[in-house]
């Protein structure tokens, strides 16, 4: 739970945000607050910096398929604007309507579209950050191809605000496929279901999304197709799924299926563990989820799975042991669970010595979201 | 001890690490390493080492660290921004012997390679079912390690993305000689996106000794076509309309009249020499999708006066069309004895405006500029032609003004070649002091001693405030060329 802070501030510009960071000792940065329960439980900050004042869609360059967005813009509002031009920011993480662009990039969260379009890190082309030394810096630009200077956009994406406040991002957009259909294959044999998913992942079918879901010894592989030949892609996939022993059909009105996939990446009461595995280890992950009474959703071709566990810290440890060496990061979880286990699975993280050196350079006094991140950074 | 004598003193140790045969010390031999693909710059290194393993690379870097000798890592040396230009009195670490394909793991769609492996070797290792999409024009010779350093693109990155979208793991040697594993075969290892920071850092943060790449299923169908137009603005209109229609071709390449005639002299593809522009468009994916999109693209070309439309009927013809495009740089030598290549980027919709400005600048300088573009993503390669050394300074100035125009129009100094030494003086056009300081923070996190590929990217040399360990005066400080910030 977010602890009560003594003061909140709502800067109206990157410069104001940087000045506030410079003047503060311990700051918690907050967008829509929909992911504020992730990471280490931390003591109350002096100041909560809200990005709500940075709420402008600065540019939507339709012809260039790019946009520049301030951090506090709700992702949904941005998507509505792009959809009016037949475009989208190809990021569909789960989240309430108040989920912001800044929050999604700061946490690096993603949804089923990651299969085809990549993650937040792959879609960001430029960034403006407010830094704890009081300065505002930018990196990248607003063109999709650009190698001038270091790629700080990626460094800040997924950094959970521990290097500074993301004030603005420039992103690449994609055409929104006009229609969508989903091939669905259902089965109760973990090995065969995983083989079916793998067969689809190795075919040049160009699916928009390729997901898996598993609960109580039974699951589904879902392959979504868009565009002029969506029907053909879905039918071909259904055939492949049947060849692998699944009951398969093609779902035309498929929005609810995908909404469910996204929703199962989150939980309000249970513990959700995000696993970074190898795609070929999917059967192992399905068995581990079963053994712990958990459920799984995830990206079949990417090896990214969200396992919801009914148990607490002990279940997390067992899952980590079963899937070692795969990083298993605790996302949503009760506070006692996040206190009892290292939510970041630091043993399986990037080299801590380098993470600390990066933090030391960008936020030497530990002002930005102190204690929240990997290794207690 | 002077800088030169520090390198000389290091030589016996380098010989012990790499073996006598793999340490180059003779001046005439060293001179052959003086330039990379950007021949306008040449610096003879103090010594060249050609390590045969990641362990040897580590030991070389550690030896350099102990005596504060700077080093530059080089793959194939085909880069076009001087990113692998040696440092005088420094060590050049050539990685061409480290070219093994270590592991092919198609179950997980990964391939693990050493940095000296060529770009084409990766696709060859995972074919025919899979391929590695980033495909710089130099792919036959350029190394994956160099691609990682430069975040290389290529013609197909409009659809498929860049090197940074495909690197999932790196083994790197930090400038203090420590070896660290960043990423792996898995995605999203917890912690800062160090992979994102390392890829495209032009060898200034660390040297890469092993690379894990994601590969993707090869498309089951490809259609490749060319069309010719009266002018680059007609061709530019077609590009805009293709993208607006929601079509994402694998590649959209444009050449102007001068580039067409140069390439044709070399490739003999039968291109019309009176055309003002041509588009090379490739679509890939499922068969039906490709055919449907090809029909749409042909209709758009015809609506804008496209002529001599030609769809490749077989693989040899497809290769010929590509050869004509990829020959553009070498072919430029046939129309001009010297040229500067630039790599600016503009938002795609600014294509007509930037071409108008390039034409005006060419007229002002009375020089010819041939244009080759990755049109889909607005990446320009103007070739500024000049006749001899007496014109070089003016040609470079013209190239610089083209870059300034790109930045003014909302673009970038470089799309795929990198800043290196070539464009570092232009960095303030795009980034202000606080941006450059943020870059320096990253640099200092990885290489506080400033020994990894110094003198690249940043417009002026700068040092890190706090260097761990006993204070040592940096060679640049000693020479009065830099001060501590």
């Amino acid at each position: 739970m977010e602890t009560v802070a003594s003061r909140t501030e709502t800067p109206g510009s990157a410069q104001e945000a940087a000045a506030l960071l410079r003047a503060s000792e311990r700051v918690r940065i907050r967008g829509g607050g929909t992911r504020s329960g992730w990471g280490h439980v931390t003591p109350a900050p002096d100041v909560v910096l809200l990005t709500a004042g940075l709420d402008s869609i600065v540019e939507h360059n339709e012809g260039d398929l790019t946009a520049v967005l301030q951090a506090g813009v709700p992702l949904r509002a941005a998507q509505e604007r792009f959809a009016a031009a037949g475009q989208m920011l190809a990021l569909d993480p789960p989240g309430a309507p108040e989920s912001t662009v800044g929050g999604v990039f700061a946490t690096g969260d993603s949804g089923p579209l990651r299969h085809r379009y990549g993650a937040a890190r792959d879609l960001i082309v430029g960034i403006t950050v407010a830094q704890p030394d009081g300065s505002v810096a930018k990196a990248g630009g607003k063109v999709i191809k650009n190698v001038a200077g270091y790629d700080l956009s990626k460094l800040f994406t997924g950094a959970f605000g521990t290097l500074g406040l993301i004030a603005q991002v420039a992103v690449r957009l994609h055409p929104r496929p006009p229609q969508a259909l989903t091939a669905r294959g259902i089965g109760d044999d973990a090995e065969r279901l995983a083989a079916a998913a793998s067969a689809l992942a190795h075919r040049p079918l160009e699916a928009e999304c390729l997901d898996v879901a598993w609960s109580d010894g039974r699951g589904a592989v879902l392959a979504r197709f868009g565009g002029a030949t969506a029907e053909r892609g879905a039918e071909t996939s259904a055939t492949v799924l049947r060849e692998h022993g699944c009951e398969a059909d093609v779902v035309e009105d498929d929005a609810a299926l995908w909404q469910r996939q996204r929703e199962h990446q989150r939980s309000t009461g249970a513990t959700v563990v995000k696993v970074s595995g190898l795609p070929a280890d999917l059967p192992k992950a399905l068995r581990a989820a079963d053994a712990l009474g958990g459920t799984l959703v995830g990206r079949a071709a990417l090896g990214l799975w969200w396992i919801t566990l009914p148990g607490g810290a002990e279940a997390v440890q067992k899952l980590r042991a079963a899937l070692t060496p795969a990083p298993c990061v605790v996302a949503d979880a009760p506070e006692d669970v996040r206190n009892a286990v290292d939510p970041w699975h630091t043993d399986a993280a990037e080299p801590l010595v380098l993470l600390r050196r990066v933090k030391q350079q960008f936020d030497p006094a530990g002002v930005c979201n102190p204690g929240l991140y990997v290794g207690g950074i | 001890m002077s800088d030169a004598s520090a390198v000389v003193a290091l030589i016996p140790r380098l010989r012990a690490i790499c073996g006598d045969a793999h340490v180059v010390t003779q001046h005439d031999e060293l001179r052959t390493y003086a330039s990379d693909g950007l021949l306008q710059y040449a610096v003879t290194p103090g010594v060249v080492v050609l390590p045969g393993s990641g362990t040897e690379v580590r030991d070389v870097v550690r030896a350099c660290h102990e005596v504060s000798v700077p080093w530059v890592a080089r793959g194939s040396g085909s880069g076009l921004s001087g990113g692998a230009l040696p440092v005088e009195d420094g060590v050049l670490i050539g990685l061409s012997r480290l070219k093994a394909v270590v592991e092919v793991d198609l179950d997980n769609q990964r391939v693990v390679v050493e940095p000296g492996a060529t770009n084409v070797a990766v696709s060859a290792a995972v074919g025919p079912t899979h391929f590695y999409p980033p495909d710089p024009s130099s792919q036959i010779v350029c190394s994956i390690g160099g691609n990682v350093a430069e975040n290389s693109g290529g013609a197909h990155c409009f659809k498929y993305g860049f090197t940074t979208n495909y690197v999932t793991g790196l083994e790197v040697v930090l400038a203090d000689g420590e070896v660290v594993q960043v990423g792996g075969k898995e995605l999203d290892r917890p912690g800062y996106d160090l992979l994102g920071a390392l890829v495209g850092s032009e060898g200034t943060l660390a040297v890469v000794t092993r690379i894990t790449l994601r590969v993707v299923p090869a498309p089951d169908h490809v259609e490749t076509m060319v069309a010719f137009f009266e002018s680059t603005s007609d061709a530019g209109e077609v590009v805009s309309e293709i993208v607006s229609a929601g079509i994402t071709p694998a590649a959209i390449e444009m050449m102007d009249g001068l580039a067409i005639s140069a390439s044709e002299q070399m490739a003999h593809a039968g291109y019309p020499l009176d055309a003002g522009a041509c588009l090379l468009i490739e679509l890939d994916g499922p068969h039906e999708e490709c055919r449907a999109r090809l029909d749409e693209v042909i209709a758009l070309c015809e609506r804008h006066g496209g002529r001599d439309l030609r769809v490749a009927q077989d693989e040899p013809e497809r290769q010929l069309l590509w050869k004509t495009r990829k020959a553009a740089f070498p072919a430029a030598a046939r129309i001009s004895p010297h040229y500067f290549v630039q790599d600016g980027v503009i938002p795609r919709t600014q294509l007509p405006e930037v071409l108008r400005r390039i034409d005006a600048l060419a007229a002002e300088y009375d020089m010819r500029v041939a244009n080759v573009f990755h049109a889909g993503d607005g990446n320009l390669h103007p070739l500024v032609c000049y006749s001899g050394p007496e014109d070089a300074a003016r040609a470079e100035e013209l190239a610089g003004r083209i870059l300034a125009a790109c930045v003014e129009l909302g673009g970038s100094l470089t799309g795929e070649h990198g800043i290196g030494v070539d464009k570092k003086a232009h960095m303030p056009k795009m980034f202000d002091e606080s941006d450059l300081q943020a870059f320096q923070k990253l640099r200092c996190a990885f290489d506080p001693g400033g020994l990894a590929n110094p003198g690249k990217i940043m417009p002026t040399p700068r040092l890190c405030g706090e260097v761990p360990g006993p204070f040592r005066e940096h060679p640049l400080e000693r020479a009065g060329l830099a001060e501590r910030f």
Side-chain angles (χ1 to χ4, degrees):
Chain A
M1 253 180 66
E2 182 83 2
T3 33
V4 179
S6 53
R7 194 171 107 233
T8 53
E9 295 279 0
T10 310
S13 68
Q15 285 72 17
E16 275 180 46
L20 284 162
L21 288 176
R22 185 175 187 175
S24 308
E25 279 185 22
R26 299 168 61 83
V27 172
R28 184 69 197 250
I29 301 164
R30 194 177 166 106
T34 60
R35 295 170 181 80
S36 58
W38 292 2
H40 283 292
V41 179
T42 57
D46 308 317
V47 181
V48 174
L49 269 192
L50 302 175
T51 59
L54 304 166
D55 61 350
S56 164
I57 297 176
V58 183
E59 294 179 26
H60 174 204
N61 307 304
E62 288 184 29
D64 298 317
L65 281 162
T66 60
V68 179
L69 306 165
Q70 286 191 319
V73 173
L75 181 60
R76 184 173 293 187
Q79 296 288 23
E80 283 168 3
R81 173 85 166 262
F82 305 145
Q87 300 178 357
M88 64 177 179
L89 170 57
L91 269 179
D92 60 342
E98 58 269 31
S99 182
T100 61
V101 167
V104 169
F105 279 87
T107 57
D109 201 10
S110 59
L113 282 174
R114 182 164 178 181
H115 171 74
R116 177 158 190 171
Y117 300 98
R121 75 181 298 277
D122 301 301
L123 297 167
I124 190 166
V125 299
I127 200 163
T128 304
V129 293
Q131 303 188 101
D133 64 5
S135 68
V136 173
K138 63 182 186 303
K142 59 177 187 180
V143 283
I144 59 177
K145 190 173 187 183
N146 179 9
V147 295
Y150 293 124
D151 197 346
L152 301 184
S153 305
K154 287 187 177 58
L155 190 72
F156 275 77
T157 298
F160 277 73
T162 58
L163 301 177
L165 180 148
I166 298 175
Q168 183 168 296
V169 294
V171 293
R172 177 180 191 172
L173 306 178
H174 285 88
R176 179 178 285 272
Q179 55 161 332
L181 289 171
T182 296
R184 172 173 59 182
I186 294 173
D188 54 14
D189 181 322
E191 299 280 350
R192 292 181 77 174
L193 195 74
S198 176
L200 290 181
H202 284 79
R203 292 220 179 177
L205 290 164
E206 304 206 338
E208 292 284 298
C209 313
L210 178 57
D211 253 31
V212 61
W214 184 261
S215 166
D216 292 329
R218 192 169 166 78
V221 173
L222 304 169
R224 190 179 216 195
F225 293 87
T229 56
E231 203 169 325
R232 174 100 183 170
E235 291 294 350
T236 305
S237 299
T239 304
V240 172
L241 290 167
R242 280 186 207 106
E243 284 166 7
H244 285 81
C246 297
E247 297 166 37
D249 60 352
V250 172
V251 182
E252 287 188 12
D253 194 5
D254 64 353
L257 277 182
W258 292 100
Q259 180 62 19
R260 189 177 166 283
Q261 290 298 107
R262 284 195 291 275
E263 280 171 2
H264 278 71
Q265 291 177 213
R266 303 296 308 263
S267 173
T268 47
T271 296
V272 178
V273 178
K274 179 191 170 190
V275 182
S276 291
L278 296 175
D281 286 339
L282 177 59
K284 200 161 85 173
L286 299 179
R287 284 194 298 271
D290 269 348
L292 295 164
T295 61
L296 178 151
V297 293
R299 312 290 96 80
L302 305 181
L304 296 172
W305 312 304
W306 285 257
I307 299 178
T308 302
L309 297 169
E314 199 183 330
V316 174
Q317 304 288 20
K318 282 183 179 163
L319 185 70
R320 284 177 178 170
L323 298 180
T324 190
C328 297
V329 172
V330 175
D332 286 320
E335 201 168 301
D336 63 311
V337 175
R338 289 190 290 131
N339 276 323
V341 295
D342 167 14
W344 294 105
H345 201 186
T346 303
D347 294 344
E350 294 290 26
L352 192 54
V353 58
L354 266 183
L355 301 182
R356 290 208 168 111
R357 277 156 62 174
V358 171
K359 172 74 172 182
Q360 174 66 26
Q361 287 293 328
F362 284 89
D363 182 20
V367 172
C368 300
N369 287 354
L372 181 73
Y373 200 47
V374 181
I377 284 172
Chain B
M1 192 184 281
S2 80
D3 296 330
S5 60
V7 173
V8 172
L10 202 53
I11 288 171
R13 190 153 168 209
L14 298 175
R15 289 190 199 280
I17 295 166
C18 299
D20 289 355
H22 304 299
V23 178
V24 179
T25 56
Q26 293 301 317
H27 187 73
D28 286 351
E29 269 188 272
L30 289 173
R31 279 179 55 195
T32 64
Y33 292 89
S35 299
D36 62 4
L38 183 68
L39 299 173
Q40 284 89 349
Y41 292 83
V43 174
T44 303
V47 58
V48 175
V49 294
L50 305 168
S53 69
T55 308
E56 290 182 14
V57 174
R58 179 200 63 192
D59 291 345
V60 167
V61 171
R62 191 171 287 171
C64 289
H65 171 70
E66 285 171 11
V67 291
S68 287
V69 166
W71 49 270
V72 177
R74 180 184 287 182
S76 300
S78 56
L80 294 172
S81 59
L85 184 75
V87 179
E88 201 178 350
D89 302 326
V91 177
L92 183 74
I93 305 174
L95 296 165
S96 51
R97 291 175 66 212
L98 297 179
K99 58 186 176 195
V101 174
V102 179
E103 186 192 353
V104 175
D105 176 4
L106 289 185
D107 278 352
N108 291 305
Q109 299 184 326
R110 295 289 185 273
V111 55
V112 182
V113 297
E114 291 185 325
T118 59
N119 176 286
V120 283
V122 176
S123 278
V126 299
T129 56
H130 290 69
F131 82 116
Y132 175 66
D135 61 339
S137 293
S138 55
Q139 67 188 130
I140 298 167
V141 295
C142 68
S143 72
I144 286 293
N147 291 178
V148 168
E150 303 295 324
N151 185 18
S152 301
H156 287 83
C157 56
F158 177 58
K159 174 172 178 177
Y160 287 100
F162 315 95
T163 303
T164 191
N165 306 115
Y166 289 89
V167 176
T168 67
L170 293 173
E171 177 187 87
V172 304
V173 181
L174 300 175
D176 59 5
E178 194 189 344
V179 178
V180 296
Q181 308 292 331
V182 178
K185 285 186 183 175
E186 309 88 349
L187 303 174
D188 291 3
R189 199 160 274 272
Y192 300 130
D193 190 350
L194 302 177
L195 287 174
L198 282 161
V199 177
S201 62
E202 305 194 19
T204 63
L205 301 182
V207 53
V208 170
T209 48
R210 194 164 280 202
I211 300 156
T212 305
L213 298 166
R214 184 169 68 86
V215 294
V216 298
D220 66 4
H221 193 74
V222 180
E223 294 282 359
T224 308
M225 60 164 287
V226 284
F228 297 86
F229 299 85
E230 286 305 309
S231 68
T232 48
S233 54
D234 287 346
E237 278 298 317
V238 173
V239 174
S240 287
E241 291 199 16
I242 287 172
V243 177
S244 301
I247 304 171
T248 306
I252 318 180
E253 302 285 299
M254 194 196 299
M255 292 196 285
D256 71 1
L258 196 52
I260 294 169
S261 40
S263 297
E264 178 59 21
Q265 286 179 39
M266 198 162 156
H268 308 295
Y271 282 11
L273 296 177
D274 60 339
C278 91
L279 287 178
L280 167 66
I281 300 168
E282 186 158 287
L283 296 149
D284 69 8
H287 189 269
E288 284 188 358
E289 178 85 12
C290 265
R291 294 299 310 196
R293 296 306 200 180
L294 180 67
D295 291 344
E296 289 179 59
V297 168
I298 288 173
L300 284 171
C301 288
E302 286 174 342
R303 193 184 309 159
H304 289 277
R307 61 180 169 97
D308 296 301
L309 260 64
R310 181 163 156 190
V311 179
Q313 298 301 310
D314 51 27
E315 185 58 22
E317 189 174 8
R318 174 177 174 257
Q319 292 297 341
L320 178 64
L321 300 185
W322 272 110
K323 183 182 165 197
T324 311
R325 161 61 187 87
K326 294 192 177 185
F329 287 8
R334 306 208 170 196
I335 57 168
S336 173
H338 303 280
Y339 62 88
F340 277 108
V341 182
Q342 278 304 356
D343 181 40
V345 187
I346 39 120
R348 188 174 40 238
T349 49
Q350 299 292 340
L351 201 56
E353 175 61 17
V354 82
L355 290 172
R356 198 189 58 72
R357 293 198 194 184
I358 290 173
D359 282 348
L361 284 166
E364 183 185 330
Y365 281 75
D366 193 22
M367 284 180 169
R368 291 191 297 174
V369 179
N371 285 298
V372 181
F373 317 124
H374 302 300
D377 38 35
N379 187 192
L380 317 173
H381 290 314
L383 299 152
V384 177
C385 302
Y386 63 100
S387 48
E390 66 282 4
D391 289 332
R394 285 184 66 243
E396 193 170 11
E397 185 183 298
L398 167 54
R401 287 183 66 184
I402 293 173
L403 285 186
C406 290
V407 174
E408 272 171 37
L409 293 170
S412 169
L413 297 170
T414 174
E416 55 185 4
H417 294 173
I419 295 292
V421 290
D422 178 40
K423 292 179 275 291
K424 64 178 183 173
H426 298 291
M427 283 289 273
K429 293 186 169 83
M430 196 166 161
F431 299 107
D432 61 27
E433 180 54 29
S434 62
D435 307 335
L436 296 172
Q437 277 180 18
F439 291 157
Q440 182 68 6
K441 288 174 188 170
L442 181 69
R443 173 92 210 250
C444 294
F446 276 86
D447 176 23
L451 296 179
N453 206 10
K456 315 292 160 62
I457 302 181
M458 300 298 263
T460 50
R462 52 183 81 198
L463 303 172
C464 301
E466 293 171 54
V467 182
F471 174 79
R472 286 199 192 93
E473 198 178 31
H474 192 279
L476 290 170
E477 265 182 308
R478 202 153 49 228
L481 293 173
E483 55 188 318
R484 229 163 263 271
F485 283 77

